[in-house]
Amino acid sequence: MPKASELKRGHVVELNGHVYVVQHVDVRNPTSRGASTLYKVRFNLLPEGGKHEVTFTGDDLVKNVSLERRKVSYLYREDDLFTFMDTEDYSQYYLNGSSIESQLPFLSDGLEGIVALLIEGEIVTVELPATVIMEVAECVPGMQAASATGRTKPAIMTNGLELQVPEYIKQGEKIKINTETGKFMTRA
Protein backbone atom coordinates (compact mmCIF):
# COMPACT_ATOMS: atom_id res chain seq x y z
CA MET A 1 0.00 0.00 0.00
CA PRO A 2 1.55 3.29 -1.07
CA LYS A 3 1.51 6.40 1.10
CA ALA A 4 -0.43 9.45 -0.06
CA SER A 5 2.90 11.29 -0.46
CA GLU A 6 3.91 8.76 -3.17
CA LEU A 7 0.83 9.29 -5.37
CA LYS A 8 1.44 10.61 -8.86
CA ARG A 9 -0.74 11.32 -11.88
CA GLY A 10 -1.96 8.08 -13.44
CA HIS A 11 -1.86 5.92 -10.29
CA VAL A 12 -4.97 3.77 -9.85
CA VAL A 13 -6.24 3.32 -6.28
CA GLU A 14 -9.30 2.03 -4.45
CA LEU A 15 -11.20 4.29 -2.04
CA ASN A 16 -14.46 3.30 -0.31
CA GLY A 17 -14.96 0.35 -2.69
CA HIS A 18 -14.59 2.46 -5.85
CA VAL A 19 -11.68 2.54 -8.30
CA TYR A 20 -10.12 5.94 -9.05
CA VAL A 21 -7.26 7.24 -11.19
CA VAL A 22 -5.16 10.17 -9.90
CA GLN A 23 -5.53 13.25 -12.11
CA HIS A 24 -3.75 15.92 -10.08
CA VAL A 25 -1.86 16.16 -6.77
CA ASP A 26 -1.59 19.51 -4.99
CA VAL A 27 0.97 19.62 -2.16
CA ARG A 28 0.41 22.12 0.65
CA ASN A 29 2.92 22.82 3.40
CA PRO A 30 1.24 24.48 6.39
CA THR A 31 3.34 27.18 8.03
CA SER A 32 2.65 26.29 11.66
CA ARG A 33 5.17 24.14 13.48
CA GLY A 34 4.27 20.51 13.85
CA ALA A 35 1.70 20.65 11.06
CA SER A 36 1.96 17.85 8.54
CA THR A 37 2.10 18.30 4.79
CA LEU A 38 -1.28 17.97 3.10
CA TYR A 39 -1.86 16.29 -0.26
CA LYS A 40 -5.04 17.38 -2.03
CA VAL A 41 -5.67 14.73 -4.70
CA ARG A 42 -8.15 15.04 -7.57
CA PHE A 43 -9.41 11.67 -8.83
CA ASN A 44 -11.52 10.44 -11.75
CA LEU A 45 -13.92 7.58 -11.03
CA LEU A 46 -13.33 4.52 -13.22
CA PRO A 47 -14.80 3.43 -15.58
CA GLU A 48 -17.86 5.76 -15.58
CA GLY A 49 -16.01 9.02 -15.07
CA GLY A 50 -16.80 11.65 -12.46
CA LYS A 51 -14.55 13.73 -10.28
CA HIS A 52 -13.67 13.23 -6.61
CA GLU A 53 -11.29 15.16 -4.33
CA VAL A 54 -9.68 13.93 -1.11
CA THR A 55 -7.12 15.57 1.18
CA PHE A 56 -4.54 13.27 2.78
CA THR A 57 -1.64 13.73 5.15
CA GLY A 58 1.69 12.36 3.98
CA ASP A 59 1.50 9.15 6.05
CA ASP A 60 -2.05 8.14 5.04
CA LEU A 61 -2.12 4.82 3.21
CA VAL A 62 -4.17 4.19 0.06
CA LYS A 63 -5.06 0.81 -1.41
CA ASN A 64 -3.42 -0.03 -4.73
CA VAL A 65 -5.47 -1.78 -7.43
CA SER A 66 -3.98 -4.71 -9.32
CA LEU A 67 -4.22 -3.94 -12.99
CA GLU A 68 -2.72 -4.98 -16.29
CA ARG A 69 -0.96 -2.55 -18.60
CA ARG A 70 -1.16 -3.15 -22.37
CA LYS A 71 0.36 -1.10 -25.19
CA VAL A 72 -2.35 0.14 -27.53
CA SER A 73 -2.74 2.57 -30.42
CA TYR A 74 -5.68 4.89 -30.98
CA LEU A 75 -7.77 3.89 -34.01
CA TYR A 76 -10.89 6.03 -34.33
CA ARG A 77 -13.84 7.71 -32.66
CA GLU A 78 -17.48 6.85 -33.27
CA ASP A 79 -19.87 9.26 -31.50
CA ASP A 80 -18.71 9.14 -27.86
CA LEU A 81 -16.97 5.74 -28.15
CA PHE A 82 -13.19 5.64 -28.65
CA THR A 83 -11.53 2.55 -30.12
CA PHE A 84 -8.02 1.40 -29.18
CA MET A 85 -6.14 -1.62 -30.57
CA ASP A 86 -3.70 -3.80 -28.66
CA THR A 87 -0.35 -3.69 -30.49
CA GLU A 88 0.52 -7.30 -29.58
CA ASP A 89 -2.62 -9.38 -30.16
CA TYR A 90 -4.66 -6.81 -32.19
CA SER A 91 -7.70 -7.04 -29.90
CA GLN A 92 -9.81 -3.89 -29.68
CA TYR A 93 -10.92 -1.97 -26.60
CA TYR A 94 -13.68 0.61 -26.37
CA LEU A 95 -13.87 3.57 -23.97
CA ASN A 96 -16.47 6.27 -23.34
CA GLY A 97 -15.27 9.83 -23.84
CA SER A 98 -16.25 10.76 -20.28
CA SER A 99 -13.69 8.35 -18.79
CA ILE A 100 -10.79 9.90 -20.76
CA GLU A 101 -11.98 13.51 -20.83
CA SER A 102 -8.61 15.05 -19.92
CA GLN A 103 -6.76 13.07 -22.62
CA LEU A 104 -9.16 13.80 -25.50
CA PRO A 105 -7.43 16.96 -26.78
CA PHE A 106 -4.22 15.00 -27.42
CA LEU A 107 -5.68 12.00 -29.25
CA SER A 108 -5.11 11.79 -32.99
CA ASP A 109 -5.61 8.91 -35.43
CA GLY A 110 -2.85 6.32 -35.24
CA LEU A 111 -1.31 7.75 -32.06
CA GLU A 112 1.01 5.13 -30.57
CA GLY A 113 2.74 4.84 -27.20
CA ILE A 114 -0.57 4.72 -25.33
CA VAL A 115 -0.89 2.33 -22.39
CA ALA A 116 -4.31 0.84 -21.61
CA LEU A 117 -5.08 0.04 -17.98
CA LEU A 118 -7.14 -3.14 -17.63
CA ILE A 119 -8.85 -4.50 -14.53
CA GLU A 120 -9.90 -8.14 -14.94
CA GLY A 121 -9.63 -7.84 -18.74
CA GLU A 122 -11.82 -4.71 -18.97
CA ILE A 123 -10.27 -1.41 -20.07
CA VAL A 124 -10.83 1.39 -17.55
CA THR A 125 -8.61 4.19 -18.85
CA VAL A 126 -5.54 4.97 -20.92
CA GLU A 127 -2.22 6.69 -20.20
CA LEU A 128 -0.87 8.91 -22.96
CA PRO A 129 2.83 9.30 -23.74
CA ALA A 130 4.52 12.24 -21.97
CA THR A 131 4.66 14.18 -25.25
CA VAL A 132 2.80 14.10 -28.54
CA ILE A 133 3.68 15.59 -31.91
CA MET A 134 0.96 17.53 -33.71
CA GLU A 135 0.77 19.66 -36.82
CA VAL A 136 -0.28 23.32 -36.64
CA ALA A 137 -3.37 23.69 -38.82
CA GLU A 138 -4.00 27.39 -38.30
CA CYS A 139 -2.23 30.36 -36.74
CA VAL A 140 -1.68 34.02 -37.45
CA PRO A 141 1.59 34.93 -39.20
CA GLY A 142 4.36 35.88 -36.80
CA MET A 143 6.76 38.80 -36.88
CA GLN A 144 9.98 38.26 -38.80
CA ALA A 145 12.39 38.94 -35.91
CA ALA A 146 10.21 37.52 -33.13
CA SER A 147 12.56 34.78 -31.94
CA ALA A 148 14.22 37.02 -29.32
CA THR A 149 10.94 37.79 -27.56
CA GLY A 150 8.88 35.54 -25.33
CA ARG A 151 5.57 36.51 -26.90
CA THR A 152 3.09 33.83 -27.90
CA LYS A 153 0.11 33.53 -30.22
CA PRO A 154 -2.83 31.11 -30.37
CA ALA A 155 -2.55 28.14 -32.73
CA ILE A 156 -5.06 25.44 -33.66
CA MET A 157 -3.82 21.89 -34.25
CA THR A 158 -5.21 19.51 -36.90
CA ASN A 159 -7.41 17.77 -34.29
CA GLY A 160 -8.90 21.07 -33.03
CA LEU A 161 -6.71 21.58 -29.93
CA GLU A 162 -5.93 25.26 -29.33
CA LEU A 163 -2.83 26.35 -27.42
CA GLN A 164 -0.29 29.14 -27.17
CA VAL A 165 2.88 28.81 -29.27
CA PRO A 166 5.87 31.15 -29.78
CA GLU A 167 5.50 33.74 -32.53
CA TYR A 168 8.02 32.05 -34.82
CA ILE A 169 5.85 28.93 -35.31
CA LYS A 170 4.18 28.81 -38.75
CA GLN A 171 1.18 26.99 -40.16
CA GLY A 172 2.04 23.43 -41.26
CA GLU A 173 4.90 22.97 -38.75
CA LYS A 174 4.94 20.01 -36.38
CA ILE A 175 5.36 20.78 -32.70
CA LYS A 176 5.88 18.73 -29.54
CA ILE A 177 3.26 19.17 -26.79
CA ASN A 178 3.48 18.08 -23.14
CA THR A 179 0.35 15.96 -22.45
CA GLU A 180 0.45 16.60 -18.69
CA THR A 181 0.51 20.40 -18.86
CA GLY A 182 -0.98 20.87 -22.34
CA LYS A 183 1.75 23.35 -23.26
CA PHE A 184 4.09 23.80 -26.23
CA MET A 185 7.56 22.31 -25.73
CA THR A 186 9.54 22.61 -28.95
CA ARG A 187 9.48 22.10 -32.70
CA ALA A 188 9.37 18.48 -33.75
Side-chain angles (χ1 to χ4, degrees):
M1 286 190 170
K3 291 183 179 181
S5 60
E6 299 168 352
L7 289 177
K8 291 186 176 34
R9 185 173 190 238
H11 279 162
V12 179
V13 297
E14 184 180 327
L15 298 172
N16 304 327
H18 297 289
V19 178
Y20 295 95
V21 62
V22 175
Q23 289 298 314
H24 182 73
V25 178
D26 185 27
V27 181
R28 297 187 182 190
N29 294 317
T31 55
S32 62
R33 290 186 180 174
S36 58
T37 303
L38 299 176
Y39 296 87
K40 186 174 182 180
V41 184
R42 188 177 330 131
F43 296 100
N44 264 3
L45 178 65
L46 296 177
E48 307 89 34
K51 301 196 181 337
H52 184 64
E53 283 192 6
V54 179
T55 302
F56 299 102
T57 60
D59 294 331
D60 289 346
L61 296 175
V62 291
K63 186 175 179 185
N64 239 350
V65 175
S66 62
L67 49 89
E68 181 183 359
R69 295 176 184 271
R70 304 283 297 181
K71 289 188 178 196
V72 296
S73 64
Y74 172 62
L75 291 180
Y76 61 89
R77 173 185 186 167
E78 189 173 310
D79 295 325
D80 196 38
L81 204 60
F82 293 82
T83 306
F84 298 89
M85 181 181 69
D86 193 311
T87 56
E88 292 177 20
D89 65 7
Y90 305 110
S91 57
Q92 293 186 0
Y93 303 105
Y94 306 97
L95 267 177
N96 267 337
S98 61
S99 61
I100 55 171
E101 192 175 340
S102 63
Q103 292 113 322
L104 291 180
F106 307 107
L107 286 178
S108 57
D109 291 342
L111 179 64
E112 294 186 6
I114 303 171
V115 176
L117 303 179
L118 305 166
I119 298 177
E120 297 174 7
E122 289 292 317
I123 188 168
V124 289
T125 191
V126 292
E127 289 179 347
L128 294 179
T131 61
V132 293
I133 296 174
M134 293 186 171
E135 184 177 334
V136 177
E138 184 180 321
C139 65
V140 295
M143 294 172 47
Q144 201 62 1
S147 62
T149 65
R151 296 191 312 190
T152 61
K153 62 183 179 181
I156 299 174
M157 305 298 111
T158 52
N159 68 347
L161 173 66
E162 185 174 338
L163 68 140
Q164 293 291 319
V165 297
E167 277 195 338
Y168 58 83
I169 298 295
K170 299 178 188 135
Q171 184 173 330
E173 281 191 86
K174 292 187 186 262
I175 61 170
K176 193 179 280 191
I177 303 168
N178 183 327
T179 57
E180 192 168 319
T181 63
K183 294 185 178 179
F184 168 86
M185 290 178 64
T186 183
R187 284 181 170 147

